[in-house]
Amino acid sequence: MRSLLSSSKNRNFLRSHLDSRTLLAFDFDGTLAPIANDPYRARLRASTARLLSELCGVAPVAVISGRGVRDLKEKVPSSIQLLSGNHGLEAPGVRSRTLRRMAQVSSKWKQQLLKQMKQVEFDTTGILVEDKEFSLSIHYRSAKQRTKVKAALLAMVGHLNPKPRIVLGKFIVNVVAPESPHKGDALLSIMKKVKAKRAVYVGDDDNDEDVFVLKNPRLLTVRVGARNSSKAKYYIKNQRSIDELLGLMIQSLKKSSVD
Ligand SMILES: [Mg+2]
């Protein structure tokens, strides 16, 4: 992995990749916004929100998140029109019939899960089952004995019927329908929708690897935080670095529109 911002060669490579037809896509939690203990309280910093609005004026901007689209709409500037939620399930080209089926399955899983949670013998304080309409996220960041709780949650979701695809995140166990599209699919369908020639994608978590593994020369991938096992090509140091990256994108795009 290479540092995107600390070498002028890599910064120049980013600049050469950007023009008004490059889709700029971002994950939300841990990428655009700091991770919050309570997921309902996650917010963009005012500076990030301002930069994102400015970026929307010079290129297509998308947010692709595990959150539901309805939730995302309240958290990002209204100038961002391209939103994909539920790990890529809510995206252009996904049929409403598919979504209706996913909603039914997800509500079944929720009932099964809450029933199991009543029967377990460990302390479930701090575990939050988030209903995202088409999938579930089980948060355990605030639980005591997180390692033990994670193992117990994995055992529980292993009993769900029908069997879900399990997507692990930072102190989150996500359950999504096995055949549902992922973030990589969502990115490609948004690129198609806006006729983007190239794209940049920035993410911080395991489910962002679904984008990072895409072998597409038109895509530049960036991870928040270096990690050797990641398939992303570049990294930025941490979540706080996002403003510097957004600023660089804006500066390059404004300059290329003048040149
Ligand atoms: Mg994230």
Side-chain angles (χ1 to χ4, degrees):
M1 276 187 123
R2 300 171 216 167
S3 165
L4 183 61
L5 298 174
S6 62
S7 114
S8 55
K9 186 180 150 219
N10 295 344
R11 290 167 82 100
N12 284 338
F13 182 72
L14 172 69
R15 283 194 188 99
S16 70
H17 192 79
L18 299 178
D19 66 26
S20 59
R21 303 268 303 277
T22 307
L23 173 70
L24 306 172
F26 305 87
D27 164 56
F28 185 78
D29 295 85
T31 300
L32 291 175
I35 289 183
N37 274 341
D38 175 350
Y40 297 112
R41 284 175 174 263
R43 292 280 175 280
L44 292 177
R45 287 190 192 89
S47 54
T48 310
R50 224 172 20 242
L51 288 163
L52 279 171
S53 299
E54 203 178 334
L55 193 60
C56 283
V58 282
V61 175
V63 177
I64 303 176
S65 168
R67 290 179 182 268
V69 163
R70 214 183 284 173
D71 179 14
L72 273 180
K73 268 188 187 155
E74 291 174 9
K75 291 188 158 47
V76 302
S78 56
S79 46
I80 304 182
Q81 300 282 323
L82 303 165
L83 299 175
S84 166
N86 276 277
H87 314 280
L89 176 54
E90 291 175 281
V94 179
R95 298 160 83 172
S96 53
R97 199 173 55 187
T98 308
L99 287 173
R100 275 200 301 278
R101 201 178 67 238
M102 301 299 172
Q104 281 170 359
V105 169
S106 183
S107 102
K108 255 190 218 166
W109 283 337
K110 189 180 171 188
Q111 287 166 20
Q112 293 172 18
L113 206 59
L114 294 178
K115 197 172 159 199
Q116 285 191 68
M117 277 180 60
K118 276 188 197 147
Q119 292 162 351
V120 293
E121 281 166 5
F122 63 91
D123 183 7
T124 55
T125 315
I127 300 176
L128 173 72
V129 179
E130 187 189 357
D131 180 347
K132 300 186 301 186
E133 201 175 350
F134 308 108
S135 72
L136 301 175
S137 286
I138 311 151
H139 301 263
Y140 60 96
R141 180 174 291 273
S142 306
K144 289 175 207 147
Q145 296 184 293
R146 292 193 293 217
T147 313
K148 222 172 150 185
V149 165
K150 181 184 177 186
L153 288 175
L154 287 176
M156 276 191 229
V157 298
H159 286 113
L160 294 179
N161 179 28
K163 241 183 171 24
R165 177 161 75 100
I166 298 166
V167 183
L168 297 179
K170 291 174 179 161
F171 305 116
I172 310 177
V173 177
N174 300 293
V175 289
V176 296
E179 72 273 29
S180 58
H182 54 57
K183 284 186 164 193
D185 300 319
L187 179 83
L188 295 176
S189 65
I190 297 173
M191 282 180 78
K192 203 169 155 194
K193 183 181 171 181
V194 300
K195 300 190 173 66
K197 283 196 293 187
R198 286 182 287 269
V200 177
Y201 181 78
V202 192
D204 73 309
D205 213 343
D206 288 358
N207 58 11
D208 299 303
E209 295 294 329
D210 287 330
V211 181
F212 299 155
V213 295
L214 294 175
K215 288 205 170 31
N216 188 327
R218 300 186 303 150
L219 174 64
L220 191 155
T221 50
V222 186
R223 188 175 193 277
V224 178
R227 190 211 255 171
N228 282 339
S229 58
S230 173
K231 298 284 184 227
K233 247 193 158 161
Y234 294 92
Y235 71 89
I236 54 173
K237 198 173 162 206
N238 52 36
Q239 196 281 320
R240 281 205 165 264
S241 318
I242 196 71
D243 283 6
E244 188 187 344
L245 175 58
L246 294 172
L248 179 64
M249 286 172 162
I250 293 166
Q251 191 198 54
S252 310
L253 285 160
K254 284 196 169 162
K255 191 172 177 293
S256 69
S257 71
V258 172
D259 288 348

